[in-house]
Amino acid sequence: MASTPVSVAPAPAAPLAPWRRLYRRIERAIVPVLVLAGWEVFSRSGVLPPALLPAPSQVFLAWADWIFAIDGNTQNYSGNWIFDVAHSAMRVFAGFALAGLLGIGLGMAIGWSRTVEKLIEPTLQILRPVPPVSWIPLAIIWFGIADKPAIFLVFLGSFFAVLLSTIHGVKTVDRNLLRAGAMTGGSPGKLLRYIVFPAALPSIFSGLRIAIGSAWMLTVTAEMVAVKSGVGYVLWDSYYFLRYDLVIAAMASIGLLGFLSDLVIKLVAAHVLRWQKGSTLQAKEG
């Protein structure tokens, strides 16, 4: 007589000890707090003049005035943080969007077609090692002193990360999936749309995360030389006036904005790639 299969429910996880629950809540903040505390102690020790290495508390005061216009200690920049961030964010997302659209489209074409790969990839590989900052003179000549050269430099800094990740994603698609799609009568267009593009999405999102970091780095460089607004311009202008507390506040602002931008891409990727949930180490870590 055949036996009836019995489903076994997974055993409930044992409750965590109180100290372990507390540790999990604060573990991400431990290293930043230790770094800030060590920095505060070192700055106040007198090893370096306070003007050369402002303490975190001094930086926070300058940053707070830049954002909320508390006491006017940042002078012309007092209360203008949101406008400076808006200018930088516009340049970053304009260049990043152009790089994403062109990088994904061209990467799909190069990864899928040997003809396109032979025609275009050698030229791109020659251009790829050229540092984006070396394009600054030409960008200023072509576009003048305004937003366009900054957007162009952000585009250059982001484009190749998206392009190479997309090519890698397309070229590593499982051939068995393509054979199965072709056997069911799928045209090349349908194979690209329903098999190749979804399979390449994890690599594409990896490229987008690298690209958004490069975009923030490049927009600061561009704002130092090509425009007169934005967080990068504030950083460079504060350096000329020896306001190193505001320089560090600008650096911290860029780091925070880059972190938030990357977090948005991670959330979008987690939603789009929810079919990976439970099957990868990244999904397990959350």
Side-chain angles (χ1 to χ4, degrees):
M1 184 176 63
S3 60
T4 304
V6 178
S7 60
V8 179
L16 295 175
W19 68 268
R20 193 166 183 81
R21 289 201 299 271
L22 176 63
Y23 174 77
R24 285 195 172 185
R25 288 179 181 175
I26 66 172
E27 63 180 343
R28 291 180 187 272
I30 291 175
V31 172
V33 169
L34 290 177
V35 170
L36 290 175
W39 175 10
E40 184 79 27
V41 172
F42 182 78
S43 296
R44 293 182 180 280
S45 66
V47 176
L48 288 175
L52 296 183
L53 182 61
S57 54
Q58 187 179 347
V59 172
F60 284 134
L61 287 175
W63 200 358
D65 183 67
W66 186 14
I67 298 173
F68 302 111
I70 294 174
D71 56 6
N73 77 78
T74 56
Q75 300 176 352
N76 292 337
Y77 296 117
S78 181
N80 286 331
W81 184 82
I82 191 65
F83 301 105
D84 294 320
V85 166
H87 281 109
S88 294
M90 183 275 294
R91 292 164 191 139
V92 165
F93 293 120
F96 177 75
L98 289 173
L101 291 174
L102 190 58
I104 293 173
L106 200 54
M108 291 287 293
I110 292 174
W112 180 253
S113 169
R114 290 285 295 171
T115 301
V116 177
E117 181 181 13
K118 289 178 181 177
L119 286 174
I120 298 179
E121 193 180 31
T123 304
L124 294 175
Q125 293 298 348
I126 291 172
L127 293 174
R128 187 168 67 91
V130 179
V133 292
S134 66
W135 289 86
I136 288 176
L138 290 178
I140 293 175
I141 292 171
W142 292 341
F143 301 112
I145 304 295
D147 291 331
K148 291 179 180 177
I151 293 172
F152 175 69
L153 292 174
V154 170
F155 165 78
L156 287 176
S158 308
F159 171 69
F160 289 104
V162 181
L163 176 76
L164 295 179
S165 299
T166 305
I167 294 173
H168 172 76
V170 174
K171 284 187 173 294
T172 53
V173 172
D174 191 340
R175 282 186 176 275
N176 292 324
L177 294 176
L178 294 174
R179 290 193 184 103
M183 288 175 64
T184 58
S187 63
K190 288 185 177 179
L191 294 180
L192 271 173
R193 181 178 178 184
Y194 293 111
I195 295 179
V196 176
F197 182 68
L201 276 176
S203 295
I204 292 173
F205 274 109
S206 296
L208 291 174
R209 291 187 63 190
I210 296 171
I212 194 65
S214 300
W216 277 108
M217 286 190 283
L218 262 298
T219 194
V220 171
T221 304
E223 287 171 352
M224 287 179 177
V225 295
V227 294
K228 300 295 182 184
S229 62
V231 180
Y233 176 73
V234 174
L235 189 154
W236 197 239
D237 195 46
S238 302
Y239 160 73
Y240 279 118
F241 290 98
L242 306 179
R243 285 298 306 267
Y244 299 128
D245 51 351
L246 196 51
V247 168
I248 298 173
M251 294 168 64
S253 299
I254 294 161
L256 177 63
L257 294 167
F259 172 78
L260 294 176
S261 303
D262 180 69
L263 183 62
V264 170
I265 295 177
K266 281 180 68 177
L267 293 175
V268 174
H271 177 72
V272 174
L273 303 177
R274 55 186 180 276
W275 48 271
Q276 281 190 320
K277 188 175 182 181
S279 62
T280 63
L281 183 60
Q282 182 181 9
K284 182 181 177 182
E285 290 173 345

